[in-house]
Amino acid sequence: MGVIPLFTGLLFASVRLDLTPTKLDGNPLHLLSPSRNLTLSLVGGKAQTADSIPVASLEEGETLSLTIRCVTPSTLQIATSESATVIQSAALCSSAESLYVDEEALFGCVSNVYQGQVLLMERLCSNVSPTETSTSRNHDETTESEENESSSRQPVYVAEPLEVNEGGSVPLQWRNVYVFTDHDARLNVSNKDVSFSLLDGPLHGSLLLHDRPTATFTYADLLVRSLVYRHDGS
Ligand SMILES: *[C@@H]1O[C@H](CO)[C@@H](O)[C@H](O)[C@H]1NC(C)=O
Ligand SMILES: *[C@@H]1O[C@H](CO)[C@@H](O)[C@H](O)[C@H]1NC(C)=O
Ligand SMILES: *[C@@H]1O[C@H](CO)[C@@H](O)[C@H](O)[C@H]1NC(C)=O
């Protein structure tokens, strides 16, 4: 799962993320907008943008914390604790829509992706061997007995509450129902392949897919906001 939608413009809330590459290669991060996309590549021990503007020097296995924000309506700044790089882009400052993590090009992990105070994504690791992934799993999981591996093969949920006015309707977004399967390489499941079945329906309303009540939906339905929760006013 690579698309991380931003909830507001970069002028209003910065995006922060940690990048821990295990191999310095390729273009794992893309900041997407309809009129300009910015790529962050990792080559020759450096993180740099597609314009070949160096952002930071980098070593394999080291974690780089980046903050991306607009300091003026047309000046995008990418900062680390050591340095700051600026790129002129009114397009990205006014209309950046999402951060795309190219899982094929990512060797390592992107984690703690925040916009302002909002956690957009906890962790996405790709092309990392299971042992490397397990060292970064959280405490509860690593203390589980290795004999019973199935019990640790659980998806992690990053579900934010959905707010809806009484009697109103609101589309569910991926961050309301996020299955974070990528934390465990043994699952080897992409969120693209995830489908959902409703076990207990909502108490005060219904879930609609293309305006019809539904008990099943796919992750793709969430991404295009086709799944709507309608409150019944009670
Ligand atoms: C940026 O990437 C998105 C998603 O791949 C694409 O829809 C959009 O057209 C791209 N914009 C530019 C300027 O290439
Ligand atoms: C493994 O864990 C699951 C879920 O906690 C449990 O139902 C099952 O009995 C356990 N299996 C073994 C062999 O301990
Ligand atoms: C994960 O699944 C893909 C496609 O099903 C396969 O090509 C790949 O080898 C698998 N990776 C691992 C680590 O099992």
Side-chain angles (χ1 to χ4, degrees), residues 144-145 147-152 154:
E144 270 168 13
S145 132
E147 287 102 75
N148 196 345
E149 284 205 350
S150 65
S151 63
S152 65
Q154 298 290 328

Side-chain angles (χ1 to χ4, degrees), residues 9 27 232:
N27 314 311
D232 60 12

